Amino acid sequence: MRARTRTARRRVVVLAAVASLGAGLLAGCADDGKDDNGGSSSGGGGGKTKITLGLFGTAGFEESGLYKEYEKLHPDIDIQQTVVERNENYYPALLNHLTTNSGLQDIQMVEVGNIAEIVQTQSDKLLDLSKYGKESDYLDWKWKQATTSGGQTIGVGTDVGPMAICYRTDLFKAAGLPTDREEVGKLWAGSWDKFVDVGKTYQKKAKGTTFLDSPGGLLQAILSSETERFYDSSGKVIYKTNPAVKSAFDLTADAAEAGLIGNQTQFQPAWDTTIANSKFAAMSCPPWMLGYIKGKSKADAAGKWDIAQAPKSGNWGGSFLTVPKSGKNTEEAAKLAAWLTAPEQQAKLFAVQGSFPSTPAAYDSAAVKNAKNDMTGDAPIGTIFAEAAKNIPVQTIGPKDQIIQQGLTDNGVVLVTQGKSAKEAWDNAVKTIDNNLDQ
């Protein structure tokens, strides 16, 4: 599940989402034989135990046939799902239902950007899944993200978003840069400063294109490779005093001032147009981004992309499955959550959906090792992303990470592409973030 949420939108939007989607989630519960507290009731159609899931985006469980497979293995189980398209609409309602401990589905998905808040404020409402999912199956850093200080693991990981760099071989060649993925990766290995230097080399010969797509993409990639970003291990907000954050901001601003980055905000229509019209040569690229590129590109772009390791490994995306204690069938729900996220199922999901497994055992499966993508031709994408995933640092995540990240990008570094100085952009970002944190 990709992470591109905008949970720091205006407070009124959040409150409206809670109001409207609360009704939506409860309606799903009512249709599925839920009790007043959102717990599922047995004795549904044909005497089966009904297990409901609350999801956002396209998790792919139904599309990949996993529900049917589980129901075949367990004929007494009937699986139903309620899906909200975007996490910024889904999560406020989920948080509201957890706070009131009502209206919850048997299994609720939580996006990685929200897991810290859930761990810190709602863990008492959720089942400890450590006796259902095997810790050794999951990437160490992924398991820890959903584990409380007391050792309770309230979520099992569905997928991760290991970061690589997708680049256009035709545009690199025209700019006099190597196109072989191993050689390209060596150009910037171990250093984001080297990465920006490659961009400056590219820009000298570029015609009508920029090296990178957006300031937000670069900043996201750099910060995702840091162990400590916006919070320290004690939970204190440190983004203003953490030199790693300021350094990442300044490096991105430097790239913007040098004209290496397009002046777009990611996932907006104008940004989509730059993909379709081949207006940039490279971008930060977790696995799910390949599907986005394919969806927004013209047909003649297929095979012109390749993928190389990023300067440093980072994560962008991923989700968890949690089981609220208020359900009547928590045992069955926990077993289903563990099964859906086991290595065998994650490999199947990757083959159909492109969601990259959070379970290293899946990396040896044919589905991952032999994976290809239309946009990147014969590039061994599974092997490349697996290598990145294994090197992602255990990152300190705070409850308001998304608010801070968005402030630094949408209200900060993007302004440098619009003529503001790096200092003006930073000051504006800090003001916006602090105002949102105070609400």
Side-chain angles (χ1 to χ4, degrees):
M1 181 62 61
R2 64 175 178 264
R4 55 184 182 88
T5 57
R6 300 292 182 192
T7 52
R9 292 295 183 200
R10 298 180 183 87
R11 189 171 180 81
V12 65
V13 174
V14 173
L15 294 175
V18 171
S20 64
L21 285 163
L25 290 179
L26 288 169
C29 295
D31 290 342
D32 293 331
K34 306 288 282 186
D35 67 7
D36 289 340
N37 290 320
S40 62
S41 57
S42 56
K48 295 183 177 182
T49 298
K50 189 171 291 185
I51 305 297
T52 61
L53 293 90
L55 311 172
F56 64 89
T58 307
F61 300 134
E62 185 172 59
E63 294 83 350
S64 62
L66 291 181
Y67 291 160
K68 289 184 178 179
E69 183 177 346
Y70 192 82
E71 289 171 340
K72 187 175 181 180
L73 294 171
H74 303 83
D76 58 329
I77 298 295
D78 177 32
I79 303 172
Q80 303 287 332
Q81 68 176 26
T82 299
V83 182
V84 176
E85 183 179 357
R86 298 173 68 86
N87 185 49
E88 57 260 49
N89 295 329
Y90 167 88
Y91 180 67
L94 171 61
L95 190 58
N96 182 57
H97 289 309
L98 282 169
T99 301
T100 60
N101 204 30
S102 64
L104 292 159
Q105 307 279 14
D106 295 312
I107 295 174
Q108 296 279 177
M109 179 175 276
V110 177
E111 199 267 333
V112 64
N114 304 122
I115 193 64
E117 183 170 25
I118 296 299
V119 166
Q120 294 176 27
T121 67
Q122 305 295 330
S123 61
D124 61 320
K125 315 286 179 53
L126 299 167
L127 204 66
D128 184 354
L129 299 179
S130 60
K131 59 183 177 181
Y132 299 94
K134 291 173 59 180
E135 180 177 357
S136 59
D137 279 347
Y138 300 85
L139 290 161
D140 178 62
W141 59 267
K142 182 72 171 182
W143 184 267
K144 288 180 178 177
Q145 284 180 330
T147 301
T148 69
S149 58
Q152 176 188 1
T153 301
I154 54 89
V156 283
T158 60
D159 63 317
V160 292
M163 197 84 71
I165 301 296
C166 288
Y167 64 97
R168 287 282 297 251
T169 55
D170 56 336
L171 296 180
F172 266 45
K173 182 178 180 180
L177 292 172
T179 58
D180 176 80
R181 67 185 69 97
E182 296 294 332
E183 292 183 27
V184 169
K186 290 177 181 178
L187 292 176
W188 51 60
S191 170
W192 288 107
D193 289 281
K194 290 181 181 178
F195 183 71
V196 171
D197 287 341
V198 172
K200 291 177 180 178
T201 299
Y202 172 87
Q203 214 62 51
K204 292 176 181 178
K205 294 185 178 181
K207 296 181 179 180
T209 63
T210 56
F211 177 57
L212 292 172
D213 65 305
S214 68
L218 177 57
L219 186 63
Q220 174 82 39
I222 300 172
L223 290 175
S224 74
S225 65
E226 296 290 342
T227 300
E228 198 171 70
R229 304 183 304 172
F230 310 142
Y231 291 77
D232 65 16
S233 58
S234 71
K236 179 182 177 181
V237 177
I238 60 167
Y239 83 94
K240 284 185 287 189
T241 57
N242 183 358
V245 174
K246 189 59 164 60
S247 175
F249 191 94
D250 288 345
L251 182 59
T252 305
D254 175 57
E257 288 176 335
L260 312 184
I261 306 179
N263 62 347
Q264 305 296 333
T265 298
Q266 289 186 312
F267 310 110
Q268 298 301 312
W271 182 71
D272 292 345
T273 299
T274 65
I275 297 176
N277 294 334
S278 304
K279 289 297 185 180
F280 58 87
M283 66 190 305
S284 308
C285 195
W288 51 262
M289 188 67 82
L290 292 173
Y292 197 91
I293 292 172
K294 182 177 179 179
K296 300 302 179 182
S297 295
K298 296 177 181 177
D300 63 356
K304 293 181 180 178
W305 289 87
D306 208 326
I307 183 167
Q309 291 293 344
K312 296 180 181 180
S313 294
N315 183 70
W316 184 7
S319 299
F320 300 82
L321 296 183
T322 68
V323 177
K325 292 179 179 178
S326 60
K328 286 188 175 180
N329 298 301
T330 54
E331 181 80 10
E332 292 299 334
K335 290 178 180 177
L336 174 58
W339 186 85
L340 287 171
T341 60
E344 298 81 4
Q345 281 63 255
Q346 290 210 31
K348 294 173 185 176
L349 192 61
F350 175 69
V352 174
Q353 188 71 17
S355 301
F356 201 77
S358 63
T359 50
Y363 302 163
D364 293 325
S365 68
V368 175
K369 291 177 70 174
N370 300 331
K372 300 289 190 297
N373 180 275
D374 291 345
M375 307 311 294
T376 54
D378 65 352
I381 59 173
T383 301
I384 292 170
F385 286 125
E387 182 179 346
K390 294 174 183 177
N391 293 311
I392 293 171
V394 178
Q395 193 169 68
T396 301
I397 298 179
K400 303 301 179 184
D401 265 30
Q402 289 189 345
I403 287 177
I404 298 172
Q405 181 75 52
Q406 184 187 339
L408 291 172
T409 56
D410 293 3
N411 301 101
V413 73
V414 71
L415 300 177
V416 182
T417 66
Q418 300 166 6
K420 299 291 186 181
S421 69
K423 183 181 184 305
E424 289 173 314
W426 174 260
D427 290 344
N428 190 73
V430 168
K431 180 179 179 181
T432 303
I433 292 167
D434 288 351
N435 285 341
N436 283 325
L437 292 179
D438 289 339
Q439 292 179 3

